[in-house]
Each structure stands twice: as C-alpha cells, then as structure tokens.
Amino acid sequence: MCESFKQNYQLCEELGRGRFGVVYRCFSTAAHASFACKSIYKHSLSDDTDRHCLDAEPKILHLLSACPNILRLHDVYEDDDHFHLVTDLCDGGDLFDRISSGNRFSEPDAAAILKQLMAAIAYCHRMGVAHRDIKPDNILFDSRGRLKLADFGSAELFDVSEMNGVVGTPYYVAPEVLMGRDYSEKVDVWSAGVILYIMLAGVPPFYGDGAAETFEAVLRGNLRFPSKIFRSVSPEAKDLLRKMICRDASRRISAEQVLIHPWIINGGEMSDLA
C-alpha cells in the first residue's frame, strides 16, 4: 500500500473480490468517514484492453461525479504493484442480493429502483458515456437506500469513437452487441429493461443452458409475458418492457423516454392504459 494512501486512510476489512482486485472498507482520518477502496493488482492485467479499461474508469467516474445515483470517486493512488480507487462506501448491498432472495418485487418497489437506475443511465448518456455492463451486481445501495451505479470498467465514450466488440453479461447484453456491429448507448436501456423484467417476474426474459444458448435466445429476442407469472402485472409495466427490450434498437426508447413513461411517472401504481 503506497505511503500517501496510508497517510490519508486506514485500511479495514475486506468487502469483496473481483476479476482484478479486492475491495476493502477504509477510514479517512481527515473526514472521519468510511469509504470503499478498490485495490487493483497491476500484474493481473493480461493485455492492453485490460489496461485501457483501468485507465479509463477513473476518468469516466470523474466526468460523472455530479450525479447522485453514480458511485463517486474520491481519490486515486498508485504504487509499484497496485492502483487504489477510493469511492463511496455502499453498505446497503447490491441489487443482485435483493433479486437472489427469490421474492418478486411489487410494481412500486420496482419502479422506485428503475427510476433511480434510469436517472443514472440518462446522465451517463447526456455526458456521452455508455456503461455497457448494466447488471444487478453493478447496482449498489448506500446506507440510506440510495441507488449507486458502479463498475465503469467496460464504459465507453460514444461521442469520441464508434462502439463495437462484445462486452457485457449473457442475460443482460443487447442483441446488437452480440451481432458484432457498431451500436449505440441504447444497449444500456435494453439491459435495464431485462433487470426490470427480472424484478417483476423473478426470472430473466432470455436464458438457456449455458452462455451460448442464452446468447441465442437474446439474438432471437422473442419477448414473452407468461400468463402465470404476469397475470398481476399492469399493462403499463408490460408496455414499458416492450419499449425497452425492443430488438430493433432504432425503435427502442431512450433513457430519457423511460423516465417520462406513465409507469415511472405514476410510481408503478395501476391505471387504465389500454
């Protein structure tokens, strides 16, 4: 651990492990507050792509720091072996844990989460950033229950260059990503729509035995609402799902349009959408 980090923070217990490093709780002696520290082992970076992602993430987090629903980066440190990213501490768990409990979400609860998520995504898109790996594991909650979108390692500045290449996670990746074509920031809307579907249904809309079969199901994009599961789900929610999980990206609504959809405006409460 570099000396400058030690002068400002006390490293505490481990919170989790990822592909490249370990996340710890750390305590700022100056601020008298706890933060999270993501320590990334440089020698675990296997190629230039990994290094590019690591270099880009702090810059993108700085760019997005004004949004209250995006994980805030406070400090960056580097020593011979590690990078250390000090961020908000989100000790309220993540959305994956809430989904894994097995209980389906009520529509108001799902709408409250989606509204915060789409506020974060819409802000990213206004700033020219596509997240490209929206999934429950990357949706954190702080001690007050506020949603924080995290892990911008796959993010890209779409105003600077065309986006291509397969990134993301099988259940949540948009079909145009799998097709290997240039694609737009609307890939994030698709992924958020899949998350909404899972919150309401308890199962993903596209799945198979293994990644390959799941990818095939995503490419077919045959969105269904099984009556046994969706009998009590409102027409508004299903309307929004159709518009977010739309295989034709040119017809898929934007993040800003999600935020003004009646289901979001009404907080997931029932009304009489035809």
Side-chain angles (χ1 to χ4, degrees):
M1 191 66 67
C2 59
E3 289 303 316
S4 56
F5 178 90
K6 291 180 179 179
Q7 291 168 4
N8 294 298
Y9 296 95
Q10 296 174 356
L11 201 64
C12 304
E13 73 273 14
E14 179 180 321
L15 300 176
R17 289 179 176 262
R19 179 182 171 194
F20 297 124
V22 184
V23 179
Y24 301 93
R25 185 175 69 84
C26 63
F27 183 78
S28 167
T29 52
H32 296 286
S34 291
F35 297 88
C37 175
K38 182 178 180 181
S39 293
I40 300 164
Y41 186 51
K42 290 181 181 179
H43 304 291
S44 68
L45 306 176
S46 59
D47 54 31
D48 290 341
T49 300
D50 288 346
R51 180 61 192 238
H52 169 74
C53 292
L54 180 60
D55 289 341
E57 185 172 12
K59 296 174 185 176
I60 287 173
L61 284 174
H62 276 304
L63 179 66
L64 303 173
S65 63
C67 181
N69 291 119
I70 293 176
L71 192 73
R72 186 177 178 187
L73 180 68
H74 295 274
D75 278 311
V76 180
Y77 297 88
E78 182 178 358
D79 57 31
D80 290 339
D81 296 316
H82 292 85
F83 290 99
H84 309 288
L85 309 182
V86 179
T87 68
D88 293 334
L89 176 66
C90 292
D91 49 9
D94 60 37
L95 186 57
F96 181 82
D97 291 334
R98 299 188 183 192
I99 287 173
S100 298
S101 68
N103 296 321
R104 285 189 278 171
F105 290 60
S106 70
E107 291 194 38
D109 286 348
I113 290 173
L114 187 69
K115 183 176 181 178
Q116 293 183 78
L117 174 59
M118 296 313 301
I121 293 173
Y123 187 83
C124 289
H125 293 178
R126 286 197 299 274
M127 300 299 289
V129 175
H131 186 283
R132 300 202 301 170
D133 195 19
I134 302 290
K135 60 182 179 181
D137 320 53
N138 292 336
I139 299 169
L140 312 180
F141 298 92
D142 65 17
S143 58
R144 295 179 295 172
R146 175 184 286 175
L147 182 148
K148 300 278 187 176
L149 180 59
D151 197 345
F152 284 75
S154 298
E156 194 69 68
L157 295 167
F158 59 83
D159 284 343
V160 174
S161 60
E162 293 181 336
M163 292 189 295
N164 49 53
V166 178
V167 295
T169 304
Y171 289 135
Y172 309 98
V173 67
E176 62 266 30
V177 175
L178 299 177
M179 292 175 192
R181 302 173 182 168
D182 293 337
Y183 47 81
S184 76
E185 71 276 13
K186 285 186 178 181
V187 297
D188 292 340
V189 177
W190 172 284
S191 302
V194 172
I195 290 172
L196 174 59
Y197 188 104
I198 293 172
M199 286 194 291
L200 295 175
V203 294
F206 313 111
Y207 57 89
D209 293 330
E213 284 192 13
T214 299
F215 286 151
E216 289 176 7
V218 170
L219 284 168
R220 288 193 297 271
N222 186 14
L223 183 65
R224 295 179 177 176
F225 300 112
S227 58
K228 185 176 180 181
I229 297 174
F230 279 88
R231 183 178 297 109
S232 60
V233 174
S234 70
E236 290 96 334
K238 287 184 276 192
D239 179 73
L240 179 55
L241 285 167
R242 289 188 190 96
K243 290 174 177 175
M244 294 178 73
I245 312 176
C246 177
R247 192 174 182 277
D248 182 350
S250 67
R251 294 175 53 242
R252 190 180 308 151
I253 62 174
S254 69
E256 298 281 4
Q257 289 172 316
V258 174
L259 288 169
I260 60 172
H261 187 277
W263 189 76
I264 293 291
I265 296 295
N266 295 328
E269 298 293 345
M270 302 286 187
S271 65
D272 297 318
L273 183 68

